[in-house]
Amino acid sequence: MRRQVREVALEHPRFGHRRVALKLEEKLKRSVSRRNVQRIMQRERLQIRTRRRKKWVKREPVATREITRPDEVWAMDFVADWSVGVRRQLRILTIVDCATREALAVEVDYSMPSSKVALALEGLKRMGRRPAEIRVDNGPEFVGSPFQVWCKRNGVKVSHIQPGKPMQNGFVESFNGRLRDECLNGHYFEDVEDARKKIGAWRQQYLTQRPHSSLAGRTPAEFAAAVGVPTPFASAILSTPKCARRQGDPAGKLRLALTAARLGQSNLISRRRA
């Protein structure tokens, strides 16, 4: 038992004893005592370090309604990280279904304007998913006209939370915390392609392998399949590489002349001009 607990804990280093026990039950096909798993992890020093949350002054909560149907409410937000290879900031768009807890999209780029947010939503629409309401903050990406126009054309209601109160959008904030803790804090990213590959692999694991406490221990993909909605595993934005720009005219004459001059081949330049 100790060896099996250690294997699962090392495979998922940010899982607590509850999720480790669920993974063991799936693996062993029998019930596992959560308390025994907790004691083993404590003796093996495998438990994760919990972070103390800052205490806030108690205030009246914002009125919210219960979400029971898939695609009833989506939540969107941004996460920032850093690319050590090109020394540029990464912008990560996260889209979460508040009912199924699916990570519908995790799009990564150096910049993510309102037009790319609309492209991500359009991609999810082509995959068969469209929300009735989207809950967002007051960032420029969610106030810009491309996002607003897309929502108006598709009959999607946009709900903006109050400034300075991110927990009014708690579903996506919780997901962003898991993304930061289990993926971003454990990786370095060389460039945007490296970030897309690593974050995409973690998203697949989140959808298909990570048990969710609010879904009775099921994964988001399992829960979505049970209620009859397709889970979009592919990226919602199909990125196409930009063509490399060439100096001078389309034939590259200026580049050829500069290359020849550096190599001291003046005769090549004269023949080209002739």
Side-chain angles (χ1 to χ4, degrees):
M1 185 68 177
R2 187 187 301 269
R3 179 179 57 82
Q4 294 166 338
V5 170
R6 187 176 184 83
E7 289 177 356
V8 175
L10 292 177
E11 184 180 359
H12 305 280
R14 294 303 302 176
F15 276 17
H17 66 276
R18 292 181 178 86
R19 287 195 173 89
V20 170
L22 289 174
K23 297 296 290 185
L24 282 175
E25 289 179 354
E26 293 179 4
K27 184 178 180 179
L28 301 177
K29 305 298 182 182
R30 61 179 177 85
S31 61
V32 176
S33 172
R34 179 173 59 85
R35 295 297 182 185
N36 288 341
V37 174
Q38 184 181 22
R39 283 192 289 269
I40 292 173
M41 292 183 66
Q42 288 175 350
R43 291 172 184 172
E44 295 290 326
R45 299 182 180 272
L46 298 172
Q47 70 272 24
I48 60 175
R49 181 178 298 178
T50 57
R51 297 177 175 87
R52 294 184 179 181
R53 297 184 178 181
K54 185 177 180 180
K55 294 183 178 180
W56 300 90
V57 179
K58 185 178 179 180
R59 303 184 187 277
E60 292 296 326
V62 178
T64 57
R65 58 187 176 86
E66 186 179 1
I67 303 170
T68 58
R69 294 180 292 104
D71 297 334
E72 183 178 357
V73 179
W74 288 2
M76 300 198 306
D77 199 10
F78 281 95
V79 182
D81 210 89
W82 185 254
S83 172
V84 297
V86 296
R87 295 181 177 272
R88 292 187 62 181
Q89 188 184 51
L90 297 172
R91 295 279 287 167
I92 306 170
L93 170 67
T94 56
I95 306 177
V96 177
D97 190 311
C98 298
T100 63
R101 305 301 198 275
E102 295 169 280
L104 298 173
V106 182
E107 303 297 339
V108 187
D109 211 330
Y110 294 126
S111 64
M112 191 71 65
S114 182
S115 58
K116 288 188 178 179
V117 175
L119 282 176
L121 293 173
E122 184 65 24
L124 291 173
K125 178 185 173 183
R126 293 177 180 176
M127 296 179 190
R129 304 295 295 271
R130 182 171 61 88
E133 179 183 347
I134 298 179
R135 191 174 298 168
V136 293
D137 58 20
N138 298 274
E141 301 87 359
F142 302 132
V143 182
S145 58
F147 170 72
Q148 296 289 338
V149 168
W150 187 92
C151 292
K152 186 175 181 180
R153 287 179 178 175
N154 291 275
V156 178
K157 178 183 176 183
V158 180
S159 299
H160 292 276
I161 64 175
Q162 294 177 320
K165 296 184 178 181
M167 285 314 298
Q168 291 183 3
N169 205 6
F171 291 102
V172 72
E173 291 292 339
S174 176
F175 173 78
N176 290 346
R178 302 280 71 76
L179 172 63
R180 174 73 64 186
D181 187 39
E182 298 178 9
C183 179
L184 301 183
N185 288 348
H187 292 284
Y188 288 107
F189 304 121
E190 292 293 333
D191 51 23
V192 67
E193 293 299 330
D194 184 43
R196 287 171 180 168
K197 180 180 179 181
K198 293 176 179 176
I199 295 174
W202 177 85
R203 175 175 171 262
Q204 296 290 329
Q205 181 185 12
Y206 172 86
L207 289 171
T208 59
Q209 300 181 22
R210 188 183 190 278
H212 207 292
S213 57
S214 63
L215 303 178
R218 289 179 290 182
T219 65
E222 291 174 347
F223 185 81
V227 297
V229 292
T231 299
F233 290 102
S235 175
I237 298 180
L238 299 177
S239 59
T240 56
K242 297 181 179 179
C243 297
R245 296 182 178 179
R246 305 182 66 182
Q247 291 179 323
D249 60 8
K253 294 180 181 179
L254 179 56
R255 171 172 291 183
L256 179 62
L258 291 174
T259 304
R262 293 192 188 99
L263 297 176
Q265 300 175 357
S266 57
N267 55 345
L268 178 60
I269 300 177
S270 60
R271 288 201 303 268
R272 187 69 179 180
R273 288 176 179 174

